[in-house]
Amino acid sequence: AQTVTQSQPEMSVQEAETVTLSCTYDTSESDYYLFWYKQPPSRQMILVIRQEAYKQQNATENRFSVNFQKAAKSFSLKISDSQLGDAAMYFCAYRSGNLGGSEKLVFGKGTKLTVNP
Amino acid sequence: GAVVSQHPSRVICKSGTSVKIECRSLDFQATTMFWYRQFPKQSLMLMATSNEGSKATYEQGVEKDKFLINHASLTLSTLTVTSAHPEDSSFYICRGRFQGYGYTFGSGTRLTVV
């Protein structure tokens, strides 16, 4: 079974600074997807960024980028120029990419990010 | 974009009663709906997967008689918590699959059983 580990329960960053959230995962599959979701106090799940395992290039979405190390099974999220609105719980998630495989998302336990003004 | 409308957003019910949570796909046909549960300060755990017109598949440890899932149409899936007890208090959120392999979450339901 696949597992996702987020080793940082809480992180904090100064506004305008950069912060990196860590995530490691375990799988025997070769085809899969990795995600970072943001969950603000409203509890809405917001997709921040997605990475296909077959792509070597790290995904980037504006101020958000990932460092995907497939061999090390590591998938960290970097937030640049942090803003107050970035404060939230961040979940790393895994989904199988195999056709006919499970479509469920496996989540890490989350990292609570605080942004200090 | 694909939107899943989830209602109610908050519900308080008395112990022993049942409560229904609805997820409607507004601009797409959700052939598959995933139901997750999130306890306070914890991660999301998949409860069950439902496909339109067929019985839901429950994850290990989830009581299928307690958490009834119905996916009778391509635009509506419901989760009914039967004979609710305080330990069922949680945040429930659905996730719909639209054409191909696109997915979108509902906005969630906070259930409090008193």
Side-chain angles (χ1 to χ4, degrees), chain B residues 39-88:
Chain B
F39 288 107
K41 298 184 179 180
Q42 293 192 26
S43 189
L44 283 77
M45 298 295 294
L46 180 67
M47 299 174 64
T49 302
S50 70
N51 293 299
E52 184 266 336
S54 61
K55 289 184 178 181
T57 303
Y58 290 82
E59 295 296 299
Q60 192 172 9
V62 177
E63 299 176 62
K64 59 181 67 176
D65 293 332
K66 180 167 195 57
F67 299 99
L68 300 180
I69 291 173
N70 185 284
H71 196 160
S73 78
L74 288 170
T75 57
L76 176 63
S77 179
T78 61
L79 166 66
T80 301
V81 183
T82 62
S83 187
H85 288 93
E87 57 265 29
D88 298 324

Side-chain angles (χ1 to χ4, degrees), chain B residues 5-50:
Chain B
S5 176
Q6 184 169 348
H7 292 280
S9 57
R10 292 173 180 258
V11 58
I12 301 173
C13 70
K14 290 185 177 180
S15 186
T17 63
S18 296
V19 62
K20 180 183 286 188
I21 300 168
E22 292 188 349
C23 280
R24 292 183 181 273
S25 54
L26 297 185
D27 49 5
F28 69 98
Q29 294 182 328
T31 54
T32 302
M33 194 71 76
F34 304 88
W35 288 92
Y36 291 82
R37 179 176 184 176
Q38 184 181 29
F39 288 107
K41 298 184 179 180
Q42 293 192 26
S43 189
L44 283 77
M45 298 295 294
L46 180 67
M47 299 174 64
T49 302
S50 70

Side-chain angles (χ1 to χ4, degrees), chain A residues 39 43 103-105 107-108, chain B residues 36 38 43 59 97 103:
Chain A
Q39 188 180 46
R43 309 289 288 274
E103 297 176 74
K104 73 176 185 181
L105 285 173
F107 289 91
Chain B
Y36 291 82
Q38 184 181 29
S43 189
E59 295 296 299
R97 186 183 83 174
Y103 303 84

